[in-house]
Amino acid sequence: MSNYRILFQLSGSIACFKACNLISMLVKNNFEVVCSTTPNALKFIGISTLEGLSGRNVYHEMFESRPKKALEHTELSKWYDLCILCPATANVINKMAAGIADDAVTTSFLAHDFKTPYLIAPAMNKNMYDHPTTKRSIMTLKQMGVTVLDTDFGRQACGDVGNGRLLPPEDIFEIIANKLNTGPGEK
Ligand SMILES: Cc1cc2nc3c(=O)[nH]c(=O)nc-3n(C[C@H](O)[C@H](O)[C@H](O)COP(=O)(O)O)c2cc1C
């Protein structure tokens, strides 16, 4: 496939391990991937795993001192062809809809240029997904121009059965590829 540039954002969900499969799939298909995480995502997945899969530094701390670091959230928004937040927690979805920018992921979102696609793949417990606040936030984000993916119905990590499971990585891969219109010979 292509050399499209993907900013791959992760937030603190049990589904982070599934997102790793998707990152691997993207890299194997020649997408350039940079990962960015909320601090809580790093309680589910390690920086070394994300660096190993993407072959790039992970953007997770806004105030860490290193050359050019201070500008990364705005520089990144000019770098990528598509951004995906996967998995997207209820917390980060609600923060984004409210315009809160207090970590690397939400600050990058506020610096997002809507000329490029921004995808959100929710993953959460069914009650969090069906909560009126989350529903309203998803609607708000869609109205902004964000592509909010559906979720799967099924058994959840907590044992509940319902909506809110992350879509299979293969399905999300197809959605990304279609969004970028990638095919043999493109980019
Ligand atoms: C084991 C475990 C699994 C969790 N899985 C999810 C999840 O799949 N989706 C979700 O929205 N929150 C989940 N949470 C709650 C979030 O981690 C919590 O709301 C956190 O503040 C999210 O931080 P972030 O959105 O800044 O990454 C989980 C918490 C624990 C302890």
Side-chain angles (χ1 to χ4, degrees), residues 5 22 49 65 90 93 97 107 127 160 165 167 176:
R5 295 167 166 179
L22 177 54
T49 301
S65 163
I93 285 172
T107 302
N127 289 349
D160 289 346
R165 279 166 54 98
L167 285 181
I176 291 173

Side-chain angles (χ1 to χ4, degrees), residues 1-2 4 174-184 186-187:
M1 261 183 210
S2 67
Y4 280 107
E174 286 303 321
I175 292 167
I176 291 173
N178 288 336
K179 203 71 171 171
L180 292 167
N181 276 324
T182 57
E186 290 201 43
K187 194 166 173 187

